[in-house]
């Protein structure tokens, strides 16, 4: 890993620490709002936990994984030391300080506003400042990746950018632009109120600004997983990537369409016009395209690997796959969850169907299935794949890794599928307790109990994951070969210019942002009468 | 720009035009054919317009005139508290010289300033009526009400713990399926909302009487009928339990 | 797979052909989904209301459409049935809403403090309620009986106990009620 080995390890371990803590909180939440437990003593504790869990899992954990993996890709794909290593450590420090500031503030009960903020509810300023620091740290990462790619390009003019780095930087640019929405909300609206310089806030404008970030942030989380699909899995299972060009095209499409579609989170909101909602629906349909393309390319690549191993028949080749390989297991599990979660996403995208599930537990089940399920299971694969490079030691416990992945998959399915059902039955979100004896809510009871069991499996799997990685620091040292990414079936020395650079895609992304968000934001910021008094939480006011 | 780039731009443009036509022309007109194209376009964009708001309606039942904002009381200092202390001499007969009453009048010591101000204002405007308080409030100017509020807010609260551990269910969890929120979510054990009074240590008879007044609709100065909505969902046993809990050691 | 095969232009052309075919299929699927959305929007008038209305949240109790006396179910001069609701920490007013069965009902709701939301369980009524804005939509409810209407957006520590009720009455019963009083509810 050239000069970045310790840097990357630090990112992963801090990410995993946040992950484990949030996982424990998650299962506690699940238990305490289920029929298996008495109503939580103080509802504020539940919302405190919810804020911590969401902030850690949404802002800290995936950001650190993306950053660490991003540095690993930069040095391994470009085959050079990381430029700006000291700045990378500064960025990590910003993220850690920010995360601690936020978590301690939440832990003290001063900012139980949930990770989606939801003004006019306003918590203590240190929570928001903490999030800002995390985002600033990630922006430093974006700049570093960009600079490293530029330096490499200067030394290799006209050469095709390695796919992993192309996707890596595309994801970084996407994140940089998408974070602007929440940054505007926090810096211009929330922090002035949290500090007491202003006492009113426009909730409608805040929700629109947050929706700018809210959808594409999940694509920021998804990027490492998709990069793993394309550049790790085919190599790990002994195959080839079906198409390098299609892969680049998919990432370019993500860069364009992932961000300007956030208003589909606001279908039921009164402050956005219906025409804007239709525009966002159309483009949300477009963002499904790169996922569909990915499914094809990866399935084809997997079939390729099977046939290279002697697989025969229309589906008989499945048996020839290296199922003992954790990467193979993980990608299969991930695709099952991606299929189910993606279908759920298509349902959410339609205004009519969304009306039946908006703000019910269907939504919570959906994003746990797709993020905690399909994506995080690939984070495990990334960690397992990089670990020998990072530690200089072999990761030995293949069977334990398989067990861990099985537990995660089965746990996730058992956790989230009944969760979807409870949402269809109407169970509302974010309630600290339910009266399960009432005729309206008693149908939910069994779904919640089953989800608790799934959550327990998930928690055990998470602990196993940590144990496997920890053990990986203590096995015997081995010589490791330089890290390799997957090779395409038809390798070309050059790529089309549009798929070797980002200018046109970034231009489209910004232009679409203007078209899709420009008027609502401009108009909402002009209206004075919609600013309402802030409601401060967690302190005597 | 390469061919892929050109196609990408053209395709995006085509989608924008398609979305524009669907969202701003076809769908709005099919929903409301009486709209002119320009009006349909503006409406779909989200330009605010009024509809069904009808003429402004004044409430039939007297309600509070107070506007609850963070600027309600302005800046208050020691001179305000000093003047308030002088004004409070005439209140001490019922509310006690230290703001802790001997009878069933509410204790004012340590009460939030916004609460005291609002109740005085409501007595004066007629939103809340009492044969004793109404004439007293009518003698006060707005500045004097603020000064009284500042004075009482600065006094020490009556004793009482804030532990939620031994509070009855209605305080901790409310009655969810009857639309009754936990008392503690507004009145301090769990969280506090603006202009919700601090209830700990208030006389039990006073608390019960006020809750019954909300329940019957006799008291109407709660903003937006908030307390009336709450109490109308409570059972008599819950009303009694709440009054007893907040009265605590005080009689 | 031999290098010979991967170098052969035919193999790459075939691979690209499959990809293109898949791309077309994806395009068709997405067009179909979007088409269904547009169709139901036009044919069943099931789309977001295209009005944005603003209202002053701090003075709701003093003047305007959402004063206490004006909340509840009303039949206006044109015969339109309008339900006006106010959401606040932590109750809906009226906490029991009366609606007639099988007839279009116009819902109008706003909040006096933070963001709330509500869903009438067993129906497609599902809306956010944002302070400063009026949420309005039309819905026809089927099936006589009582339904729960929880607040489904986090609105503070009391959110878990914000459950209102909706009573769907047969048209005749509703008519009798609404003739007796200007604004009806089942509180």
């Amino acid at each position: 890993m050239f000069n970045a080995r310790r840097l990357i390890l630090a990112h992963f371990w801090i990410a995993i620490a946040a992950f484990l803590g949030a996982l424990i909180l998650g299962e506690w939440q699940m238990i305490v709002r289920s029929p298996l437990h008495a109503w939580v003593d103080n509802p504020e504790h539940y919302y405190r936990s919810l804020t911590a869990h969401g902030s850690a899992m949404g802002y800290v954990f995936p950001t650190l994984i993306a950053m660490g993996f991003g540095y690993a890709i930069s040095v391994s794909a470009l085959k050079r030391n990381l430029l700006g290593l000291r700045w990378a450590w500064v960025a990590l420090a910003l993220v850690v300080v920010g995360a601690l500031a936020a978590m301690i503030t939440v832990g003290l009960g001063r900012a139980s506003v949930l990770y989606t903020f939801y003004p006019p509810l306003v918590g203590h300023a240190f929570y928001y400042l903490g999030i800002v620091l995390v985002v600033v740290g990630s922006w430093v990462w974006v700049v570093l990746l960009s600079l490293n790619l530029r330096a490499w390009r200067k030394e290799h003019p006209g050469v095709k950018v390695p796919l992993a780095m192309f996707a890596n930087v595309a994801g970084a640019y996407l994140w940089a632009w998408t974070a602007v929405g929440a940054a505007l909300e926090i810096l211009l609206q929330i922090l002035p109120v949290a500090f007491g310089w202003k006492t009113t806030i426009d909730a409608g404008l805040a929700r629109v600004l947050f929706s700018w970030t809210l959808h594409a942030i999940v694509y920021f989380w998804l990027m490492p997983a998709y990069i793993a699909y394309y550049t790790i899995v085919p190599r790990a299972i002994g195959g080839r990537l079906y198409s390098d060009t299609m892969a680049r095209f998919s990432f370019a499409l993500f860069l364009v369409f992932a961000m300007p579609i956030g208003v589909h989170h606001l279908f039921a909101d009164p402050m956005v016009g219906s025409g804007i909602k239709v525009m966002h629906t159309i483009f949300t349909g477009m963002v499904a395209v790169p996922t569909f393309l990915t499914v094809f390319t990866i399935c084809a690549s997997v079939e390729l690997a099977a046939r290279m191993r002697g697989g025969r028949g229309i589906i008989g080749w499945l048996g020839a796959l290296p199922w003992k390989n954790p990467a193979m297991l993980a990608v299969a599990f991930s695709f099952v969850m991606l299929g189910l979660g993606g279908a759920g996403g298509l349902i959410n995208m339609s205004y009519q169907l969304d009306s039946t599930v908006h703000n019910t537990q269907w939504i919570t089940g959906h994003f746990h299935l797709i993020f905690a399920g399909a994506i995080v299971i690939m984070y495990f694969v990334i960690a397992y794949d990089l670990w020998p490079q990072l530690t200089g030691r072999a990761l030995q416990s293949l069977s334990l890794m398989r067990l861990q992945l099985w537990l995660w998959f089965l746990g996730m399915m058992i956790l989230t599928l009944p969760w979807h059902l409870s949402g269809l039955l109407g169970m509302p979100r974010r309630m600290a307790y339910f009266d399960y004896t009432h005729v309206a809510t008693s149908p939910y009871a069994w779904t919640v109990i089953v989800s608790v069991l799934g959550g327990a499996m998930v928690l055990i799997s998470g602990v196993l994951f940590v144990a496997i990685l920890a053990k990986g620091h203590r096995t015997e040292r081995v010589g490791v070969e330089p890290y390799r990414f997957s090779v395409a079936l038809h390798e070309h020395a050059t790529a089309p210019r549009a798929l070797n650079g980002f200018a046109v895609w970034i231009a489209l992304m910004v232009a679409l942002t203007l078209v899709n968000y420009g008027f609502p934001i401009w108009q909402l910021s002009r209206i004075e009468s919609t600013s309402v008094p802030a409601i401060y939480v967690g302190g005597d006011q | 720009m390469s061919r892929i780039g050109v196609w990408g731009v053209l395709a995006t443009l085509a989608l924008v035009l398609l979305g524009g036509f669907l969202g701003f022309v076809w769908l709005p007109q099919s929903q409301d054919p009486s709209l002119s194209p320009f009006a349909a376009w503006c409406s779909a964009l989200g330009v605010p317009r009024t509809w069904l708001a009808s003429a402004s309606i004044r409430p039939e039942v007297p309600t509070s005139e107070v506007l609850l904002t963070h600027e309600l009381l302005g800046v208050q200092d020691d001179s305000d508290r000093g003047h308030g202390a002088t004004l409070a001499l005439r209140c001490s007969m019922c509310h006690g010289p230290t703001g802790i009453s001997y009878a069933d009048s509410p204790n004012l010591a340590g009460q939030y300033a916004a609460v005291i101000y609002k109740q005085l204002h409501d007595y004066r405007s007629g939103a809340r009526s009492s044969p004793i308080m109404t004439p007293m409030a009518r003698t006060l100017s707005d500045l004097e009400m603020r000064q009284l509020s500042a004075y009482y807010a600065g006094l020490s609260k009556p004793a009482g713990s804030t532990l939620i551990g031994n509070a009855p269910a209605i305080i901790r969890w409310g009655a969810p399926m009857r639309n009754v929120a936990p008392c503690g979510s507004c009145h301090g054990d769990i969280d506090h909302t603006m202009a919700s009074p601090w209830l700990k240590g208030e006389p039990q008879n006073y608390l019960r009487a006020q809750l019954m007044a909300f329940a019957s609709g006799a008291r109407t100065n709660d903003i937006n009928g908030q307390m009336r909505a709450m109490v109308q969902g409570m059972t008599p046993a819950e009303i009694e339990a709440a009054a007893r809990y907040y009265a605590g050691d005080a009689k | 797979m031999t290098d010979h095969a991967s170098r052969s232009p035919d193999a790459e052309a075939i691979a690209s052909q499959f990809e293109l075919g898949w791309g077309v299929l994806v395009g068709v699927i997405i067009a179909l989904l979007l088409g269904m959305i547009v169709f139901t929007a036009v044919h069943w008038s099931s789309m977001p209301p295209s009005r944005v209305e603003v209202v002053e949240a701090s003075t709701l109790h003093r003047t305007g459409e959402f004063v206490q006396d004006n909340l509840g179910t009303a039949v206006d001069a044109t015969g339109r049935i309008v339900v006006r609701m106010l959401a606040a920490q932590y109750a809906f007013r009226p906490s029991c809403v009366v609606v007639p069965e099988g007839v279009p009902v116009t819902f109008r709701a706003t909040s006096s403090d933070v963001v709330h939301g509500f869903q009438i369980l067993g129906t497609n009524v599902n809306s956010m309620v944002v302070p400063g804005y009026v949420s309005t939509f039309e819905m026809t409810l089927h099936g006589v009986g009582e339904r729960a209407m929880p607040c489904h957006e986090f609105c503070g520590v009391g959110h878990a106990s914000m459950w209102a009720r909706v009573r769907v009455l047969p048209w005749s019963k509703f008519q009798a009620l609404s003739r007796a009083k200007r604004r009806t509810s089942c509180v």
Side-chain angles (χ1 to χ4, degrees), chain A residues 47 118 202 207 242-243 246 268-270 274 285 292 296 351-352 355-356 358-359 426 429-431 490 492 524 530, chain C residues 6 12 15 19 22 30 37 40-41 46-48 50 113 119 121 124 126 128 132-133 135 151-154 159 163:
Chain A
Y47 295 115
Y118 287 156
D202 184 339
R207 288 176 69 79
Y242 189 78
S243 167
M246 251 337 194
D269 278 64
S274 63
F292 274 119
F296 177 85
Y351 169 76
Q352 293 83 0
S355 286
T356 55
H358 172 65
N359 256 357
R429 280 180 83 177
R430 292 163 163 169
M431 291 203 159
H490 306 284
H492 294 281
L524 287 174
T530 47
Chain C
S6 66
E12 191 177 352
E19 274 172 346
W22 175 252
I30 304 227
I37 293 172
T40 50
S46 167
M47 60 180 133
S50 64
D113 47 25
Q119 185 198 24
L121 298 190
N124 290 334
N126 191 329
M128 302 300 292
Y133 304 86
S135 300
C151 172
H152 61 26
E153 184 55 274
F154 176 66
H159 167 61
W163 288 75

XYZ file of all heavy atoms in Angstrom, chain A residues 47 118 202 207 242-243 246 268-270 274 285 292 296 351-352 355-356 358-359 426 429-431 490 492 524 530, chain C residues 6 12 15 19 22 30 37 40-41 46-48 50 113 119 121 124 126 128 132-133 135 151-154 159 163:
471
model
N -34.727 8.500 21.593
C -34.403 9.397 20.490
C -32.940 9.798 20.517
O -32.335 10.081 19.489
C -35.335 10.616 20.498
C -36.764 10.196 20.242
C -37.747 10.341 21.197
C -37.101 9.584 19.034
C -39.046 9.915 20.955
C -38.382 9.157 18.783
C -39.354 9.321 19.751
O -40.622 8.882 19.503
N -34.151 17.874 11.012
C -35.546 18.281 11.181
C -35.765 19.572 11.953
O -36.421 19.579 12.980
C -36.357 17.160 11.826
C -36.603 16.045 10.843
C -36.861 14.752 11.275
C -36.536 16.273 9.479
C -37.060 13.744 10.364
C -36.717 15.273 8.564
C -36.989 14.004 9.010
O -37.179 13.004 8.119
N -36.888 28.568 8.496
C -37.884 28.109 7.529
C -37.719 26.605 7.356
O -36.758 26.133 6.772
C -37.678 28.824 6.192
C -38.748 28.459 5.167
O -39.398 27.404 5.303
O -38.942 29.239 4.228
N -35.852 21.559 4.575
C -36.117 20.216 4.071
C -35.694 20.080 2.610
O -35.157 19.049 2.190
C -37.599 19.875 4.224
C -38.005 19.632 5.664
C -39.497 19.401 5.779
N -39.923 18.142 5.201
C -39.803 16.969 5.786
N -39.267 16.883 6.987
N -40.229 15.887 5.184
N -16.649 -8.237 -17.364
C -17.286 -8.373 -18.684
C -17.024 -7.181 -19.587
O -16.744 -7.327 -20.761
C -18.796 -8.564 -18.490
C -19.537 -8.918 -19.747
C -19.500 -10.219 -20.255
C -20.283 -7.967 -20.438
C -20.192 -10.559 -21.401
C -20.960 -8.298 -21.583
C -20.920 -9.591 -22.066
O -21.598 -9.922 -23.211
N -17.155 -5.976 -19.026
C -16.928 -4.802 -19.869
C -16.416 -3.633 -19.048
O -17.071 -3.182 -18.113
C -18.218 -4.384 -20.565
O -18.073 -3.093 -21.124
N -18.629 -0.318 -20.143
C -19.934 -0.224 -19.493
C -19.769 0.205 -18.050
O -20.579 0.965 -17.514
C -20.631 -1.581 -19.511
C -21.813 -1.708 -20.432
S -22.648 -0.199 -20.878
C -24.126 -0.879 -21.549
N -44.615 14.011 -0.316
C -45.784 14.316 0.504
C -45.683 15.683 1.146
O -46.501 16.022 1.989
C -45.957 13.246 1.579
N -44.683 16.467 0.762
C -44.477 17.769 1.414
C -45.222 18.874 0.688
O -45.350 18.852 -0.534
C -42.971 18.099 1.439
C -42.262 17.431 2.585
O -42.227 16.185 2.596
O -41.775 18.147 3.464
N -45.684 19.879 1.431
C -46.499 20.928 0.818
C -45.728 22.095 0.226
O -46.351 22.981 -0.357
C -47.346 21.420 2.003
C -46.465 21.220 3.187
C -45.658 19.989 2.907
N -45.852 20.560 -7.784
C -45.988 19.213 -8.353
C -45.111 19.035 -9.581
O -44.662 17.930 -9.871
C -47.443 18.939 -8.711
O -47.852 19.843 -9.717
N -35.999 7.813 -12.069
C -36.047 6.659 -12.951
C -34.713 6.453 -13.652
O -34.237 5.327 -13.803
N -29.095 -1.132 -12.963
C -29.463 -2.220 -13.870
C -28.260 -2.653 -14.699
O -28.001 -3.840 -14.907
C -30.577 -1.762 -14.821
C -31.963 -1.927 -14.269
C -32.799 -0.846 -14.090
C -32.446 -3.195 -13.951
C -34.086 -0.999 -13.601
C -33.724 -3.360 -13.458
C -34.547 -2.253 -13.280
N -26.235 -6.417 -14.777
C -25.902 -7.192 -15.964
C -24.414 -7.481 -16.027
O -23.982 -8.629 -16.202
C -26.346 -6.426 -17.214
C -25.972 -7.110 -18.497
C -26.792 -8.091 -19.026
C -24.800 -6.795 -19.171
C -26.456 -8.734 -20.217
C -24.452 -7.425 -20.353
C -25.284 -8.405 -20.873
N -44.962 8.237 -7.065
C -45.721 9.037 -6.108
C -46.890 8.246 -5.530
O -47.165 8.288 -4.335
C -46.235 10.320 -6.768
C -47.243 11.040 -5.916
C -46.834 11.779 -4.818
C -48.606 10.932 -6.173
C -47.751 12.409 -4.006
C -49.523 11.565 -5.363
C -49.095 12.302 -4.278
O -50.011 12.913 -3.465
N -47.572 7.515 -6.402
C -48.788 6.835 -5.955
C -48.478 5.750 -4.943
O -49.095 5.666 -3.884
C -49.543 6.226 -7.144
C -50.129 7.250 -8.094
C -49.121 7.766 -9.097
O -47.959 7.350 -9.097
N -49.559 8.655 -9.954
N -47.300 6.928 -1.572
C -48.337 7.394 -0.650
C -48.720 6.338 0.353
O -49.174 6.646 1.435
C -49.605 7.775 -1.418
O -49.426 8.965 -2.087
N -48.598 5.089 -0.030
C -49.024 4.043 0.896
C -47.948 3.733 1.915
O -48.227 3.165 2.961
C -49.364 2.753 0.140
O -48.240 2.382 -0.635
C -50.556 2.946 -0.758
N -45.121 6.047 2.685
C -44.298 7.157 3.158
C -44.279 7.243 4.675
O -45.317 7.203 5.323
C -44.827 8.469 2.565
C -44.164 9.668 3.131
N -42.817 9.938 2.935
C -44.605 10.657 3.929
C -42.505 11.035 3.556
N -43.565 11.518 4.177
N -43.108 7.365 5.220
C -42.918 7.517 6.664
C -43.464 6.369 7.495
O -43.712 6.506 8.684
C -43.501 8.841 7.172
C -42.401 9.847 7.434
O -41.232 9.531 7.291
N -42.771 11.034 7.832
N -48.926 -0.214 8.107
C -49.132 1.154 8.533
C -48.305 1.608 9.712
O -48.446 2.738 10.156
N -43.117 5.566 11.737
C -41.699 5.599 12.070
C -41.422 6.339 13.355
O -42.171 7.197 13.777
C -40.930 6.343 10.973
C -40.635 5.565 9.761
C -39.885 6.427 8.786
N -38.464 6.459 9.103
C -37.563 7.102 8.377
N -37.951 7.796 7.341
N -36.304 7.083 8.699
N -40.254 6.023 13.920
C -39.641 6.839 14.950
C -40.500 6.996 16.186
O -40.554 8.058 16.782
C -39.271 8.200 14.360
C -38.146 8.047 13.357
C -37.983 9.210 12.446
N -36.667 9.158 11.812
C -36.285 9.927 10.807
N -37.102 10.807 10.308
N -35.080 9.811 10.297
N -41.151 5.910 16.558
C -41.916 5.935 17.806
C -41.162 5.136 18.852
O -40.705 4.038 18.586
C -43.299 5.356 17.580
C -44.160 6.245 16.711
S -45.895 5.955 16.954
C -46.589 7.479 16.355
N -12.148 -7.621 -22.514
C -11.551 -7.020 -23.701
C -10.835 -5.761 -23.263
O -11.455 -4.710 -23.107
C -12.636 -6.671 -24.724
C -13.512 -7.844 -25.065
N -13.090 -8.853 -25.888
C -14.769 -8.165 -24.684
C -14.057 -9.745 -26.010
N -15.085 -9.358 -25.282
N -8.616 -2.537 -23.486
C -8.187 -1.546 -24.467
C -7.182 -0.623 -23.826
O -7.279 -0.310 -22.653
C -9.379 -0.714 -24.943
C -10.363 -1.515 -25.716
N -10.169 -1.855 -27.027
C -11.547 -2.069 -25.351
C -11.205 -2.565 -27.448
N -12.052 -2.709 -26.453
N -38.224 29.706 -2.034
C -38.467 29.492 -0.611
C -37.625 30.432 0.239
O -38.047 30.854 1.314
C -38.183 28.035 -0.232
C -39.215 27.036 -0.715
C -38.755 25.618 -0.421
C -40.564 27.276 -0.049
N -42.724 32.293 6.226
C -42.673 30.864 6.553
C -41.579 30.536 7.547
O -41.390 29.377 7.897
C -42.442 30.034 5.276
O -41.372 30.630 4.545
C -43.690 30.013 4.427
N -10.263 -13.505 -26.691
C -10.517 -12.147 -26.231
C -9.984 -11.116 -27.208
O -10.414 -9.981 -27.205
C -9.878 -11.934 -24.858
O -8.475 -11.996 -24.974
N -15.808 -9.415 -29.100
C -16.129 -8.148 -28.464
C -17.423 -7.579 -29.037
O -18.240 -7.020 -28.306
C -14.992 -7.155 -28.666
C -15.201 -5.951 -27.777
C -14.071 -4.954 -27.867
O -13.052 -5.260 -28.509
O -14.240 -3.882 -27.297
N -20.231 -9.366 -27.421
C -20.428 -8.910 -26.051
C -21.118 -7.556 -26.034
O -22.045 -7.332 -25.257
C -19.081 -8.843 -25.326
N -24.803 -6.229 -24.407
C -24.909 -5.074 -23.522
C -25.920 -4.076 -24.032
O -26.745 -3.553 -23.289
C -23.556 -4.352 -23.461
C -22.631 -4.903 -22.434
C -21.268 -4.277 -22.566
O -21.003 -3.638 -23.594
O -20.494 -4.442 -21.628
N -29.358 -5.307 -23.516
C -29.762 -5.135 -22.127
C -30.091 -3.683 -21.844
O -31.063 -3.362 -21.177
C -28.657 -5.618 -21.192
C -28.942 -5.373 -19.742
C -28.345 -4.452 -18.941
C -29.894 -6.048 -18.930
N -28.855 -4.509 -17.671
C -29.813 -5.480 -17.648
C -30.813 -7.079 -19.157
C -30.606 -5.912 -16.588
C -31.603 -7.508 -18.095
C -31.499 -6.926 -16.837
N -37.833 1.102 -17.539
C -37.972 2.385 -16.852
C -39.068 3.219 -17.501
O -39.866 3.856 -16.811
C -36.631 3.127 -16.864
C -35.598 2.221 -16.241
C -36.761 4.469 -16.202
C -34.731 2.807 -15.249
N -46.750 5.634 -13.842
C -46.922 6.729 -12.908
C -47.741 7.842 -13.554
O -48.682 8.374 -12.958
C -45.544 7.268 -12.461
C -44.828 6.207 -11.621
C -45.688 8.554 -11.667
C -43.404 6.556 -11.290
N -51.523 6.691 -14.059
C -52.363 6.748 -12.860
C -52.542 8.190 -12.404
O -53.587 8.541 -11.862
C -51.758 5.925 -11.709
O -50.396 6.287 -11.529
C -51.859 4.445 -11.985
N -51.539 9.018 -12.655
C -51.688 10.415 -12.267
C -52.817 11.071 -13.039
O -53.649 11.773 -12.483
C -50.385 11.168 -12.511
N -54.345 10.876 -9.280
C -53.577 10.595 -8.074
C -52.191 11.176 -8.248
O -51.266 10.508 -8.679
C -53.505 9.081 -7.851
O -52.542 8.799 -6.882
N -52.076 12.452 -7.953
C -50.775 13.073 -8.059
C -50.655 14.160 -7.009
O -51.644 14.532 -6.399
C -50.589 13.646 -9.455
C -51.605 14.699 -9.830
S -51.267 15.286 -11.475
C -52.867 15.244 -12.190
N -49.471 14.653 -6.782
C -49.339 15.666 -5.738
C -50.187 16.876 -6.089
O -50.238 17.291 -7.244
C -47.853 16.034 -5.767
C -47.179 14.977 -6.529
C -48.186 14.341 -7.408
N -51.051 20.509 -6.848
C -50.085 21.396 -7.465
C -50.110 22.790 -6.861
O -49.641 23.718 -7.460
C -50.313 21.466 -8.972
O -51.579 22.030 -9.243
N -46.025 24.386 15.116
C -44.681 24.410 15.681
C -43.632 23.699 14.841
O -42.842 24.341 14.183
C -44.670 23.887 17.117
C -45.451 22.583 17.270
O -45.602 21.829 16.288
O -45.909 22.317 18.381
N -50.870 9.764 8.673
C -51.351 8.756 7.753
C -52.630 8.201 8.365
O -52.670 7.940 9.571
C -50.311 7.644 7.611
C -50.682 6.619 6.580
C -49.897 5.333 6.739
O -49.412 5.007 7.813
N -49.770 4.583 5.670
N -54.530 5.081 8.756
C -54.218 3.674 8.522
C -55.330 2.998 7.743
O -56.507 3.219 7.987
C -54.005 2.952 9.850
C -52.854 3.457 10.713
C -52.604 2.505 11.867
C -51.599 3.622 9.897
N -55.091 5.604 1.730
C -53.927 6.197 1.078
C -53.663 7.621 1.526
O -52.870 8.320 0.913
C -54.121 6.182 -0.446
C -54.037 4.782 -1.000
O -53.396 3.928 -0.407
N -54.707 4.538 -2.110
N -51.822 10.210 3.257
C -50.469 10.212 3.807
C -49.851 11.546 3.436
O -49.623 11.836 2.267
C -49.673 9.056 3.203
C -48.363 8.833 3.912
O -47.749 9.750 4.431
N -47.925 7.580 3.936
N -47.269 15.110 4.785
C -46.456 15.828 5.754
C -47.197 17.094 6.148
O -48.037 17.596 5.400
C -45.102 16.209 5.147
C -44.299 15.043 4.656
S -43.924 13.880 5.948
C -42.801 14.845 6.933
N -45.827 26.792 8.551
C -45.637 27.833 7.560
C -46.278 27.500 6.230
O -46.384 28.356 5.363
N -46.702 26.256 6.040
C -47.285 25.829 4.771
C -48.563 25.052 5.048
O -48.709 24.436 6.091
C -46.318 24.932 3.987
C -44.984 25.575 3.724
C -43.971 25.499 4.668
C -44.741 26.270 2.543
C -42.747 26.101 4.451
C -43.512 26.869 2.315
C -42.523 26.784 3.271
O -41.319 27.386 3.049
N -50.835 21.929 3.936
C -50.909 20.697 3.156
C -52.354 20.474 2.780
O -53.223 20.499 3.641
C -50.435 19.503 3.978
O -49.115 19.669 4.384
N -49.250 10.281 13.969
C -48.246 11.203 13.447
C -47.057 10.346 13.058
O -46.575 9.530 13.853
C -47.829 12.204 14.520
S -46.424 13.239 14.047
N -46.588 10.451 11.820
C -45.506 9.561 11.407
C -44.199 10.277 11.160
O -43.264 9.679 10.646
C -45.909 8.723 10.205
C -46.263 9.521 8.962
N -45.782 10.772 8.673
C -47.071 9.192 7.918
C -46.264 11.187 7.522
N -47.047 10.260 7.032
N -44.098 11.546 11.548
C -42.820 12.220 11.416
C -42.344 12.622 12.797
O -43.114 13.127 13.605
C -42.967 13.463 10.519
C -41.656 14.173 10.253
C -40.608 13.236 9.665
O -39.896 12.544 10.436
O -40.460 13.201 8.424
N -41.060 12.412 13.048
C -40.517 12.736 14.364
C -40.749 14.206 14.668
O -40.333 15.084 13.909
C -39.017 12.433 14.401
C -38.361 12.824 15.688
C -38.696 12.171 16.864
C -37.423 13.845 15.742
C -38.097 12.517 18.064
C -36.822 14.210 16.937
C -37.164 13.537 18.104
N -43.545 12.255 20.427
C -44.055 11.795 19.130
C -44.789 10.471 19.234
O -45.792 10.246 18.552
C -42.868 11.694 18.166
C -43.141 10.968 16.894
N -44.081 11.385 15.981
C -42.599 9.844 16.367
C -44.106 10.554 14.960
N -43.228 9.602 15.167
N -51.414 9.917 18.425
C -52.305 9.105 17.599
C -53.700 9.694 17.646
O -54.350 9.685 18.688
C -52.395 7.670 18.146
C -51.183 6.827 17.955
C -50.010 6.899 18.650
C -51.044 5.739 17.049
N -49.148 5.931 18.221
C -49.754 5.188 17.236
C -51.865 5.160 16.094
C -49.270 4.119 16.503
C -51.393 4.078 15.351
C -50.102 3.582 15.566
